[in-house]
Amino acid sequence: MKTNYTGQPANRVDGSLKVTGTAKYAAEFEAEGLLFGYIINSTIAKGKIKEIDISQAMQVAGVVQIFTHENVSGLAWFNKSYKDMDSPPGDPFRPLYDHKIRYSMQPIGLVVATTFEVARFAASLIKVTYKEEKLVTNLQDNLHRSKKAPMGKVGYVQPKSRGDAESVFAKAEYKIEGEYVHAAEHHNPLEMFATTAIWEEDGKVTLYDKTQGVSNVQLYISNIFGLSLKNVRVVSPFVGGGFGSGLRPQYQVFMATLAALELRRPVRVVMTRQQMFSFGHRPGTVQRVAMSADENGKLTSIQHEAYGETSQFEDYTEIVVNWSGTMYNCENVKLKYELVKLDVATPTDMRAPGAVTSAHAFESAIDEIAYAVKIDPLEFRKINYAEDDQVEGKPYSSKELRACYDQGAAKFGWSGRSIEPRSMREGNQLIGWGMANGAWDALQMPAKAQAVLSLDGKLTVSSGTSEIGTGTYTIMTQIAAETLGMDINDVTFKLGDTLMPMAPLQGGSWTAASVGSAVKAVCEEVKAKLFKLASKTKHSPLSGAAPKELTMAEGHIFLISDPGSRLSIIEVMRLTETDSIIESGMSGPDPAAKTTHSFNSHAAVFAEVKVDEDLGTVIVTRVVCAVAAGKILNPKTAGSQILGSVVWGISKALEEETVMDNNFGRFMNHNLGEYHVAVNKDINDIDIIFVEEHDDLVNPLGIKGVGEIGIIAVAPAIANAVFHATGVRVRDLPITMDKVLQLAEEDKNQVRV
Amino acid sequence: MNSFSYHRAAHPVEAVKDVNNQSDAKFVAGGTNLFDLMKLNIEKPSHLTDINRLDLGKIEVLPNNGLRLGALVTNAATAWNKDVEENYPLLSQAILAGASPQLRNMATNGGNTLQRTRCYYFYDLATPCNKREPGTGCSAINGFNRIHAILGTSETCIATHPSDMCVALMALDAKVNVTGVNGERTIDFADFHRLPGDTPHLDNHLEHGDLITSIDLPADHFKTNVAYLKLRDRQSYAFALVSVAAALKMEGNVIQDVSVALGGVAHKPWRDRQAEEQLKGQSATAAGFREFAETVLSGARGFGHNTFKIELAKRAIVRALTMALKNESTILSDLSKA
Ligand SMILES: Cc1cc2nc3c(=O)[nH]c(=O)nc-3n(C[C@H](O)[C@H](O)[C@H](O)COP(=O)(O)OP(=O)(O)OC[C@H]3O[C@@H](n4cnc5c(N)ncnc54)[C@H](O)[C@@H]3O)c2cc1C
Ligand code: SF4
């Protein structure tokens, strides 16, 4: 028996539940008399509802009720009641609160019926008349209206400039500048947002919800509906992908709760795929980067400004330009981040929010400046390598980015690259190699967990975190089993229930570190208890042993000095007449470490593209992603995170974009036929490397989280490869054939000097 | 989705009658397009006539050695049919460039020709659309029109016909066999679909109740020197921005016969027979192909986001003809991942 689990490629403990369809998702919980809701969304982007005529719809057999702002009352009055743990500054959107339309596809009503189909049909009979107002949704045309991004969203920090970048830039010999753009993107996890709300006789409500944070939903719902926390239970054992879209409570949970409370019946509300485009998204952003370097390739100035879109009612912020101040050694850095308010839904965190956006512009610009001084882009990065956090002036707890460079480059064969663009081809396919690097925070949040060891030697550990497909069940089970030296099959981890100890939102790549540390802490307490009990056993090999003389493995407690002297967990409990051991524990970041060190994970990405010279089509043929993220708890689940990130990065670089029609202020490609994400055929070779990185400071487990670091540098690596292939810079994502061709055409017409 | 009545037809004539009985009845075959549109309330038939049990599921060699494709043969079965693969590889290539394996397993040949446009506005009831609701206006002309038509457009509609299969059928001079209330008739593929004109709500020349029974391919027609080139925003499972079905009949380096149809550029698969005539008898050169492409696209008009298609289509024609000349196919070589 092996009880050394962390670091091993353990299979997913929930794998068989998932592939056999036994794992239950929010829309799969049944209840007697269940009703079905269908959400109605606005067809205009801005104005007022003059009338909602529900008369015809109410006639449809099977329709129970139709909720609109006209007949919903009793909701909380104050803006602050609608805030959740991830709210940006501003006034949160309140569903069905008034007749105002703030963005296109805003939810404006809910039809509740005995079947989903009846509700959907009835919804088609509802006639809404509007008074339309002039709308603004075009980010690029409205940059002049930008305003400084305010503080207030959890984790947001204002960027800090240093030195005098402008005048250094003005005098510099080697310099570049460019504007980079990407449009809005929608998360589109496979599982649609859904809630099954169960009303109970005693005024309680249980919500089976798709969410990345059960506690956040509990808080939100209890505030809005004036229920005490103990009367709102939120359950979410499985989530079919989140990517940030489930950090804030989505409006279907409001709708389902409202209907269940009003009708005193169980109600299920599931969004349609189209409705998955009707709330937060990665904000479209325009960025300007200017840089200068000396003839030795040392960066002399960096200027980075970003303009992100936000809604009229909330100021969604993300950390975009700040990264540009930390990545490389440079004395003169000028950073600016502003928001443009548009008639759109408030953007929401999407996988590596801000960093992905930033890296696209900044790491492409690094490539440009490297070309300006004619230095290999990887070499250029090494020349400017920052040992310490350039903003905070603190050393990193660990930073094995150089190892990522070296191992990634070796695997990719980077040394065989000629620096000249258009220097490699196969027939009419131009081949290009590009690279980029990225960093992400290695954060830990306070989290709680509980452990119950029962007489049969089985351990159940629980924490109210969520499983968005990242492998949380598996790694927590591994940590618990290893800490207590138990067989992994004797350990069960439970999550996703507000009756469990509270955990932070599942985001920011901090779950492994936060919940994992709590799980470890609580298991250590169980262990301490077991040692105490073992020493109390009479006439046993362990009688009177001091805790420090004991250790655990293979389901046994034994003397370190004499492994033969041992008792099984079950024996210890029997001999001491202990029915069960229940421990609760908590773990949080070490505040002292934060004052002395900075904590980041890093990655270097190398990409090969083939670009058709005549047609402009781009294929990514190879990607190597080398990651430094501390100890890797499970190379299999961690590897999947990085693989998925690289796939998404390819998708982002070449395909993803939610297209806004600015006449209607409406996203038009709101389905998966026209919102393109990478498909099987778009994905070729992907190699993942986890470099060794030892870190005693970051947290007791030495881990940094791998949910986001993998995606950050992918798009710029591809964009840089496209430049290497073609000699033209496509600064707008996605890089589609029309853009490549247009720039190639313009480039041809330019006189080269 | 509206409520509808349903009837499973046993015979073509019965099916035709069943649809004819109600002005808003429709046939349903694979349902891959119709059901989507019904769920979105774009199509609202009050009655569905299910034709899947009709005896139209065969591919047969005709007495004149042509090939008859039953209307109910699936796109997948057609593409992988031995006769089609051997004698009409262009059709196999085109079909396999479309949709996904799952869809091709459901989609039928009849349904494919009648699939409706993918114009975003047509699919969204929140926006005006002349094709969906005549007279309401065309949102695409001044809206986001990157996927829209550059040839044969009208002020009322700039939508494209999204099919890949039909582009090959156009190039191969197929004929569509139809059974209607007044009996059977055959329509040349070139006359099957319409341009939008001022009737953008009409996609083709079928009358209400007309049932497609089969599609015929002429004998000995472009067995070699063909290529289907599809340019799209991802490698699979995306509609064509521009596609080209190119077929050549060579004698040495001299072009005996040529057929080029374009997809993704017009309300119907686009072919320019005059330009083809000019190419015949010439030797195959890149310059000649380019000149041909210039002629085909001479009447093209862009609407902003889609203007790039004009140059792209020219280049695609040159590339497809070059591939056809060399007997190269981008599609079949890489099918393991399609
Ligand atoms: C996401 C997605 C991607 C796709 N991508 C592509 C692509 O890249 N390329 C491509 O070519 N296609 C693509 N398709 C379209 C697909 O090929 C069509 O949906 C399919 O061919 C329709 O065939 P069906 O049998 O399912 O038709 P149905 O949906 O059953 O019917 C379509 C229409 O044809 C009528 N009809 C059907 N059979 C007959 C008949 N025998 N006689 C008279 N009327 C009839 C029906 O009344 C209906 O109006 C895609 C579809 C989807 C959903
Ligand atoms: S192009 Fe045609 S289908 Fe599209 S909006 Fe205009 S009228 Fe409708």
Side-chain angles (χ1 to χ4, degrees):
Chain A
M1 199 198 298
K2 187 183 70 194
T3 44
N4 199 6
Y5 291 110
T6 63
Q8 303 299 318
N11 284 339
R12 281 177 192 261
V13 297
D14 50 341
S16 75
L17 288 182
K18 284 190 173 173
V19 296
T20 56
T22 325
K24 270 197 180 178
Y25 294 79
E28 295 177 322
F29 289 86
E30 294 300 332
E32 215 173 287
L34 186 64
L35 296 173
F36 298 80
Y38 187 85
I39 301 159
I40 313 159
N41 302 78
S42 74
T43 54
I44 67 159
K46 192 173 192 176
K48 294 184 177 70
I49 299 172
K50 283 203 289 205
E51 198 198 350
I52 303 192
D53 179 359
I54 59 171
S55 54
Q56 223 189 324
M58 282 300 288
Q59 304 294 316
V60 176
V63 170
V64 177
Q65 178 61 292
I66 297 172
F67 295 98
T68 71
H69 71 278
E70 289 175 356
N71 60 16
V72 168
S73 58
L75 301 176
W77 286 8
F78 298 109
N79 271 323
K80 69 172 185 340
S81 306
Y82 293 79
K83 293 234 178 213
D84 66 85
M85 295 171 183
D86 196 32
S87 290
D91 301 335
F93 170 67
R94 314 179 196 191
L96 311 191
Y97 193 81
D98 58 24
H99 65 331
K100 257 184 96 172
I101 301 296
R102 295 161 175 85
Y103 61 94
S104 191
M105 292 182 86
Q106 167 184 324
I108 56 170
L110 180 76
V111 182
V112 183
T114 46
T115 68
F116 173 80
E117 287 74 16
V118 167
R120 183 174 60 181
F121 169 62
S124 74
L125 303 176
I126 293 172
K127 293 188 194 75
V128 188
T129 43
Y130 301 94
K131 188 179 180 313
E132 289 191 55
E133 288 162 24
K134 205 168 160 271
L135 58 92
V136 218
T137 49
N138 190 329
L139 175 63
Q140 292 193 60
D141 287 358
N142 286 280
L143 296 181
H144 60 278
R145 292 178 38 237
S146 69
K147 281 192 344 216
K148 187 174 172 202
M151 293 291 288
K153 187 174 185 298
V154 174
Y156 180 68
V157 197
Q158 299 282 8
K160 280 184 218 149
S161 298
R162 56 179 183 263
D164 184 0
E166 269 169 323
S167 32
V168 173
F169 182 80
K171 283 179 250 144
E173 186 180 348
Y174 299 100
K175 55 185 163 185
I176 57 102
E177 53 191 319
E179 184 173 289
Y180 298 81
V181 183
H182 73 83
E185 296 161 22
H186 281 79
H187 305 70
N188 278 304
L190 211 50
E191 182 198 16
M192 260 75 83
F193 275 91
T195 306
T196 306
I198 313 288
W199 179 82
E200 282 149 41
E201 289 292 338
D202 51 5
K204 286 188 181 158
V205 62
T206 298
L207 306 171
Y208 297 95
D209 190 37
K210 175 193 172 91
T211 175
Q212 293 176 243
V214 285
S215 304
N216 196 20
V217 172
Q218 180 191 37
L219 176 86
Y220 177 78
I221 291 296
S222 75
N223 280 343
I224 294 176
F225 293 98
L227 301 167
S228 69
L229 283 176
K230 70 175 188 334
N231 282 344
V232 181
R233 179 180 171 198
V234 182
V235 183
S236 184
F238 290 96
V239 175
F243 311 119
S245 62
L247 290 172
R248 302 187 70 183
Q250 286 306 349
Y251 59 78
Q252 93 290 342
V253 70
F254 167 91
M255 297 278 184
T257 310
L258 170 78
L261 291 174
E262 289 286 318
L263 302 171
R264 305 186 155 219
R265 298 220 4 213
V267 178
R268 175 183 301 158
V269 180
V270 185
M271 288 193 194
T272 62
R273 178 57 66 186
Q274 283 78 7
Q275 287 166 341
M276 294 295 283
F277 292 80
S278 66
F279 49 85
H281 50 273
R282 193 193 293 283
T285 307
V286 176
Q287 302 179 71
R288 294 184 189 133
V289 186
M291 272 181 203
S292 59
D294 65 21
E295 65 281 4
N296 301 317
K298 281 213 155 30
L299 277 168
T300 54
S301 76
I302 295 171
Q303 297 176 70
H304 187 176
E305 343 181 306
Y307 302 86
E309 57 165 313
T310 190
S311 65
Q312 299 287 3
F313 44 96
E314 284 175 313
D315 287 328
Y316 171 79
T317 52
E318 46 187 16
I319 293 185
V320 181
V321 295
N322 304 30
W323 294 105
S324 307
T326 63
M327 298 294 289
Y328 300 101
N329 282 330
C330 184
E331 279 167 19
N332 303 294
V333 178
K334 185 164 176 256
L335 304 174
K336 182 171 157 187
Y337 174 55
E338 302 210 323
L339 299 178
V340 179
K341 281 184 172 298
L342 300 174
D343 297 308
V344 296
T346 305
T348 294
D349 291 336
M350 183 193 281
R351 204 170 202 175
V356 161
T357 300
S358 172
H360 161 227
F362 187 68
E363 285 291 304
S364 299
I366 287 286
D367 200 70
E368 296 197 34
I369 188 78
Y371 268 92
V373 287
K374 298 201 165 55
I375 293 178
D376 171 79
L378 176 57
E379 186 54 35
F380 186 89
R381 285 174 173 84
K382 287 183 179 169
I383 292 171
N384 293 285
Y385 194 85
E387 290 300 342
D388 298 338
D389 178 338
Q390 295 295 296
V391 174
E392 301 283 326
K394 289 184 284 194
Y396 289 104
S397 60
S398 59
K399 179 178 176 178
E400 295 294 344
L401 180 57
R402 272 207 191 91
C404 295
Y405 289 157
D406 295 344
Q407 292 176 35
K411 181 99 200 165
F412 187 83
W414 185 263
S415 61
R417 180 181 187 267
S418 75
I419 188 167
E420 260 324 287
R422 299 179 71 91
S423 54
M424 293 191 284
R425 68 158 70 222
E426 263 169 29
N428 38 35
Q429 304 295 307
L430 300 168
I431 298 171
W433 290 0
M435 62 93 46
N437 58 217
W440 186 247
D441 291 315
L443 294 171
Q444 187 187 355
M445 297 285 176
K448 294 179 185 169
Q450 190 191 52
V452 178
L453 183 62
S454 56
L455 195 47
D456 56 1
K458 306 270 185 206
L459 178 77
T460 303
V461 185
S462 59
S463 176
T465 182
S466 73
E467 164 66 279
I468 52 177
T470 48
T472 309
Y473 277 114
T474 311
I475 58 169
M476 296 309 154
T477 309
Q478 286 176 276
I479 293 169
E482 175 161 317
T483 311
L484 281 169
M486 292 175 68
D487 181 359
I488 201 162
N489 296 309
D490 290 333
V491 180
T492 307
F493 182 71
K494 293 193 165 163
L495 56 72
D497 192 328
T498 46
L499 295 179
M500 294 171 186
M502 192 160 147
L505 286 171
Q506 180 152 24
S509 296
W510 59 55
T511 297
S514 311
V515 180
S517 297
V519 166
K520 186 169 160 68
V522 78
C523 290
E524 292 287 2
E525 294 192 25
V526 172
K527 193 180 195 174
K529 195 70 163 278
L530 277 171
F531 287 175
K532 227 187 241 165
L533 292 173
S535 128
K536 275 198 213 149
T537 51
K538 304 218 172 80
H539 317 297
S540 91
L542 305 182
S543 308
K548 66 170 192 294
E549 295 174 291
L550 295 172
T551 188
M552 291 182 74
E554 304 186 351
H556 285 74
I557 299 148
F558 55 89
L559 287 174
I560 299 169
S561 57
D562 173 17
S565 300
R566 56 199 256 159
L567 288 174
S568 72
I569 292 173
I570 298 177
E571 282 167 335
V572 170
M573 293 181 75
R574 284 229 187 93
L575 290 171
T576 54
E577 291 176 15
T578 310
D579 290 340
S580 63
I581 296 173
I582 304 178
E583 292 293 336
S584 294
M586 165 158 185
S587 173
D590 172 7
K594 256 201 136 154
T595 60
T596 56
H597 288 83
S598 287
F599 306 96
N600 276 182
S601 53
H602 294 90
V605 176
F606 299 81
E608 177 184 84
V609 299
K610 285 190 181 164
V611 184
D612 190 296
E613 191 177 14
D614 305 319
L615 306 173
T617 49
V618 182
I619 302 173
V620 178
T621 43
R622 275 190 310 135
V623 175
V624 173
C625 181
V627 176
K631 176 171 176 170
I632 299 304
L633 287 173
N634 182 332
K636 205 164 181 176
T637 52
S640 292
Q641 284 301 300
I642 304 300
L643 263 181
S645 295
V646 172
V647 169
W648 197 345
I650 293 172
S651 196
K652 180 185 170 63
L654 303 183
E655 296 165 9
E656 281 193 52
E657 164 176 40
T658 326
V659 179
M660 173 65 80
D661 178 306
N662 291 308
N663 298 326
F664 298 106
R666 190 170 174 89
F667 289 123
M668 288 315 300
N669 54 340
H670 44 64
N671 59 66
L672 289 184
E674 298 298 337
Y675 182 91
H676 294 139
V677 299
V679 294
N680 193 21
K681 213 178 167 196
D682 295 315
I683 304 306
N684 295 292
D685 290 347
I686 301 175
D687 275 309
I688 290 161
I689 300 169
F690 288 115
V691 306
E692 282 275 328
E693 189 174 68
H694 185 77
D695 196 324
D696 287 331
L697 295 162
V698 63
N699 52 53
L701 293 160
I703 62 178
K704 290 184 172 177
V706 292
E708 287 155 294
I709 184 62
I711 187 176
I712 295 166
V714 179
I718 292 170
N720 294 339
V722 169
F723 171 76
H724 186 231
T726 62
V728 299
R729 287 268 171 209
V730 182
R731 296 191 182 91
D732 290 11
L733 295 185
I735 302 173
T736 49
M737 63 186 94
D738 41 333
K739 294 177 192 166
V740 176
L741 280 185
Q742 192 196 334
L743 289 173
E745 226 22 53
E746 286 169 13
D747 188 56
K748 232 191 256 170
N749 299 332
Q750 256 170 35
V751 187
R752 284 191 204 250
V753 279
Chain B
M1 180 155 37
N2 283 6
S3 299
F4 56 88
S5 52
Y6 170 89
H7 174 71
R8 181 183 287 155
H11 189 272
V13 176
E14 181 210 341
V16 169
K17 229 188 242 154
D18 196 45
V19 164
N20 248 287
N21 281 340
Q22 293 185 47
S23 62
D24 55 357
K26 278 202 160 288
F27 298 115
V28 63
T32 60
N33 191 216
L34 184 59
F35 291 158
D36 279 1
L37 293 165
M38 286 168 70
K39 287 185 217 163
L40 294 167
N41 284 311
I42 294 155
E43 301 267 22
K44 295 189 240 182
S46 61
H47 180 75
L48 284 188
T49 306
D50 184 343
I51 58 172
N52 285 293
R53 298 284 170 93
L54 301 186
D55 186 20
L56 302 173
K58 286 196 285 287
I59 294 184
E60 343 167 66
V61 180
L62 295 167
N64 70 359
N65 273 331
L67 197 67
R68 174 160 292 175
L69 312 171
L72 287 173
V73 185
T74 65
N75 284 177
T78 307
W80 299 114
N81 174 275
K82 214 170 111 308
D83 287 316
V84 176
E85 277 187 293
E86 268 174 25
N87 297 319
Y88 308 93
L90 184 58
L91 181 60
S92 287
Q93 289 184 29
I95 292 176
L96 295 174
S100 65
Q102 294 93 324
L103 281 158
R104 296 194 296 263
N105 284 339
M106 282 303 286
T108 64
N109 292 334
N112 191 309
T113 59
L114 299 178
Q115 62 174 298
R116 309 216 62 192
T117 185
R118 291 281 157 174
C119 170
Y120 312 116
Y121 304 94
F122 176 73
Y123 266 81
D124 190 338
L125 293 177
T127 57
C129 167
N130 284 329
K131 185 179 277 300
R132 201 182 57 237
E133 278 178 85
T136 53
C138 171
S139 298
I141 286 189
N142 296 313
F144 185 70
N145 49 39
R146 182 165 176 272
I147 62 174
H148 288 74
I150 49 171
L151 285 163
T153 53
S154 77
E155 292 309 312
T156 63
C157 180
I158 58 170
T160 62
H161 191 266
S163 168
D164 292 295
M165 185 185 90
C166 292
V167 183
L169 292 178
M170 183 71 150
L172 292 172
D173 301 295
K175 291 185 194 307
V176 184
N177 298 314
V178 176
T179 298
V181 264
N182 302 319
E184 300 182 3
R185 68 187 197 283
T186 297
I187 308 172
D188 279 346
F189 208 78
D191 301 325
F192 185 80
H193 293 103
R194 290 174 184 255
L195 289 179
D198 50 14
T199 53
H201 57 293
L202 301 175
D203 293 350
N204 53 59
H205 288 285
L206 292 186
E207 304 283 333
H208 182 64
D210 276 349
L211 175 76
I212 299 177
T213 52
S214 61
I215 297 167
D216 288 351
L217 296 170
D220 195 18
H221 207 45
F222 299 119
K223 193 171 161 172
T224 57
N225 291 110
V226 296
Y228 189 73
L229 174 66
K230 181 173 180 181
L231 301 177
R232 46 185 152 177
D233 281 328
R234 61 182 166 192
Q235 294 299 306
S236 173
Y237 200 40
F239 290 92
L241 288 167
V242 169
S243 69
V244 183
L248 288 167
K249 194 170 168 201
M250 303 298 298
E251 211 174 279
N253 194 36
V254 178
I255 300 167
Q256 293 284 300
D257 196 1
V258 56
S259 175
V260 175
L262 301 185
V265 296
H267 203 257
K268 61 186 289 188
W270 191 265
R271 226 181 125 172
D272 186 334
R273 280 163 208 272
Q274 269 183 339
E276 287 171 8
E277 283 308 318
Q278 287 168 21
L279 203 55
K280 285 182 199 169
Q282 291 190 28
S283 50
T285 62
F289 290 162
R290 176 74 198 194
E291 200 182 305
F292 167 77
E294 293 286 352
T295 314
V296 174
L297 271 299
S298 57
R301 170 185 169 199
F303 294 86
H305 303 107
N306 71 348
T307 306
F308 73 95
K309 282 188 178 186
I310 301 174
E311 175 62 22
L312 188 67
K314 292 177 189 171
R315 294 180 179 205
I317 290 173
V318 174
R319 176 65 62 81
L321 281 168
T322 312
M323 284 162 56
L325 191 66
K326 297 189 201 155
N327 258 319
E328 269 177 7
S329 150
T330 45
I331 312 288
L332 291 175
S333 60
D334 202 18
L335 264 181
S336 55
K337 288 180 84 184

